[in-house]
Amino acid sequence: MEFGRGSRKAVDREPEICPTDSDTIVPKKALGPKNVKKQSLDYVLRTGLAGGLAGCAAKTVVGPLDRVKILFQASNPQFAKYTGSWFGVVTAMRDINHQEGVRGLFRGHSATLLRIFPYAAIKFLAYEQVRAVVIKDKTQETPFRRLVSGSLAGITSVFFTYPLEVIRVRLAFETRRDSRSSLSRICKQIYYERLPIPQQPSSSFTSSAASPTTSLPIRASADALTSTVSTIQAVAPRSGLANFYRGFSPTIWGMLPYAGMSFLTHDTAGDWLRHRSISKYTTLTSPPASPDSNHTTTYKPKPLKYWAELLAGGLAGLVSQTASYPLEVIRRRMQVGGAVGDGHRLRMGEITRLIWKERGFRGFWVGLTIGYVKVVPMVAVSFLVYERGKLALGV
């Protein structure tokens, strides 16, 4: 039987997901949100997969900018002259492309993807898990709870993936054409870098302290100093796995505002964009919420349209980058410490004093412009791919 234009068949046709995408349809029930417990293995794997793919897509989009940003932050001597201007960023990318080709712009990108997939997967799934505990319903959607959930998720992901970040930064920092370090060579170099230790007292000092004419307190102090230095030399770790966590302290401190503000800003911007006055322009048509095992309605906000999701993610990147950038500069300098100077590890306090001595207050914001150019689209793409991935995977 044929149906006319006003028939029931036409009414039952699935609505378009976005007015500008006429061939895009709302996912069918098989792809729609399922009633899956957030603590189940199925939910963890699905959110982890969506998060990992989101991180890889975002990092690939900004790979060349990430390479230049690391060179600027770590004060690479060859590229220090380019810092401080938009033309410097473009010139640096042009020089890298001229000297090393397109592959040079993505130097260290394989290590980036190797790190970013587990990092983003753990970050997003940890956020979902912590959020499920801290925010049980819509009434508990407070800025503080969102901030805590994001911060804990960021710290968890960094702890498990930080060594890969150190390797990636060292690969990206190298600019020599005559010597290309392999992944194994970089790992060995980082492993065997030594921590500076106090020098033994000079022989003239110890001999003069041991002189019969020297007072007893001075001789005792010299003996104590020698004994202390010997003990430090015996127990201080000069190399090893600890080198792969170089810069971990400022990373943790920086991750608290970065991840926390990122998720907080994204969720808050999403609330604004879902306001009833503009929701018909910014949100997609979504299936009704399904009841859970306790016969209560599961709260799930409507998904945003692609441009609204990009806007929320871009604002999240802008705010989080500003809040954590000085600590990021310190972390980069610590990570490449063994690749410059005499090859020893530099502590957080030493790096902070060195940056202040070299450039003052502005030294902690070197590369912030390119940081914005990189982070804003990266975070925007990350949240977009993650939210669309969750829709496709039914979570």
Side-chain angles (χ1 to χ4, degrees):
M1 180 178 178
E2 295 292 328
F3 293 90
R5 295 179 60 185
S7 65
R8 183 177 179 180
K9 182 176 181 179
V11 174
D12 290 342
R13 182 188 178 191
E14 294 175 338
E16 297 174 356
I17 195 170
C18 178
T20 59
D21 299 330
S22 58
D23 59 339
T24 307
I25 307 299
V26 171
K28 297 180 179 180
K29 291 183 178 180
L31 296 177
K34 296 182 179 180
N35 181 28
V36 181
K37 291 183 178 180
K38 289 193 173 184
Q39 286 72 29
S40 67
L41 179 61
D42 180 63
Y43 186 89
V44 170
L45 292 177
R46 288 169 184 262
T47 54
L49 177 60
L53 293 176
C56 290
K59 275 292 187 180
T60 301
V61 168
V62 298
L65 289 172
D66 198 28
R67 172 86 198 276
V68 176
K69 178 187 166 192
I70 289 174
L71 294 172
F72 282 7
Q73 283 182 330
S75 296
N76 186 288
Q78 185 177 341
F79 289 87
K81 58 185 177 182
Y82 298 134
T83 60
S85 69
W86 287 93
F87 294 105
V89 174
V90 176
T91 305
M93 294 178 65
R94 184 187 63 189
D95 286 356
I96 294 174
N97 182 60
H98 178 72
Q99 296 175 7
E100 307 176 42
V102 176
R103 294 182 63 182
L105 294 172
F106 288 90
R107 180 161 177 77
H109 191 62
S110 57
T112 297
L113 297 182
L114 183 64
R115 166 194 167 267
I116 200 62
F117 186 90
Y119 168 79
I122 294 172
K123 182 181 71 172
F124 280 110
L125 73 85
Y127 180 69
E128 296 288 353
Q129 295 301 312
V130 175
R131 181 183 168 87
V133 175
V134 177
I135 305 175
K136 298 183 182 298
D137 53 52
K138 189 175 182 179
T139 60
Q140 296 181 342
E141 288 275 359
T142 62
F144 178 74
R145 290 175 183 268
R146 287 173 170 175
L147 180 68
V148 170
S149 300
S151 298
L152 292 177
I155 290 174
T156 302
S157 60
V158 165
F159 179 79
F160 287 105
T161 61
Y162 191 78
L164 292 171
E165 167 71 358
V166 175
I167 296 171
R168 177 187 76 90
V169 171
R170 290 294 288 272
L171 284 170
F173 183 74
E174 287 196 346
T175 58
R176 295 173 299 174
R177 300 183 61 185
D178 57 340
S179 177
R180 288 287 182 266
S181 297
S182 63
L183 183 62
S184 60
R185 181 179 175 184
I186 285 289
C187 291
K188 291 179 181 179
Q189 181 181 352
I190 296 173
Y191 185 88
Y192 289 108
E193 286 166 358
R194 295 174 177 267
L195 178 71
I197 56 177
Q199 297 294 325
Q200 286 278 8
S202 62
S203 57
S204 59
F205 173 78
T206 54
S207 61
S208 61
S211 174
T213 60
T214 306
S215 61
L216 182 61
I218 295 179
R219 289 201 300 270
S221 299
D223 293 339
L225 178 60
T226 302
S227 176
T228 300
V229 171
S230 299
T231 303
I232 292 176
Q233 290 176 336
V235 303
R238 298 190 182 186
S239 61
L241 296 177
N243 286 347
F244 289 92
Y245 281 86
R246 174 181 298 151
F248 189 67
S249 296
T251 300
I252 289 296
W253 287 109
M255 186 54 64
L256 289 171
Y258 181 81
M261 292 302 297
S262 179
F263 282 105
L264 169 61
T265 305
H266 173 266
D267 291 353
T268 303
D271 291 344
W272 295 341
L273 293 169
R274 292 184 181 93
H275 192 271
R276 65 178 64 182
S277 62
I278 60 173
S279 61
K280 64 180 180 179
Y281 305 109
T282 60
T283 60
L284 304 176
T285 303
S286 60
S290 58
D292 59 19
S293 58
N294 296 326
H295 303 288
T296 59
T297 300
T298 302
Y299 168 66
K300 187 176 181 64
K302 287 185 177 181
L304 296 172
K305 292 181 179 179
Y306 74 94
W307 66 265
E309 190 64 64
L310 288 172
L311 177 60
L315 290 174
L318 182 70
V319 174
S320 60
Q321 179 76 348
T322 304
S324 62
Y325 196 78
L327 288 167
E328 185 179 352
V329 173
I330 296 173
R331 171 169 64 97
R332 296 296 192 201
R333 291 290 291 269
M334 293 181 71
Q335 288 173 337
V336 301
V340 295
D342 57 3
H344 70 262
R345 297 206 310 255
L346 295 176
R347 299 179 178 87
M348 184 175 179
E350 293 175 320
I351 288 290
T352 303
R353 289 191 295 269
L354 181 61
I355 295 174
W356 181 267
K357 182 179 179 181
E358 289 177 350
R359 303 191 180 186
F361 178 76
R362 296 184 62 182
F364 294 96
W365 305 94
V366 171
L368 180 60
T369 301
I370 189 175
Y372 284 142
V373 175
K374 188 202 91 167
V375 170
V376 170
M378 183 186 72
V379 177
V381 171
S382 178
F383 276 112
L384 174 65
V385 176
Y386 176 65
E387 294 297 336
R388 291 299 184 269
K390 287 202 302 179
L391 282 178
L393 294 172
V395 292

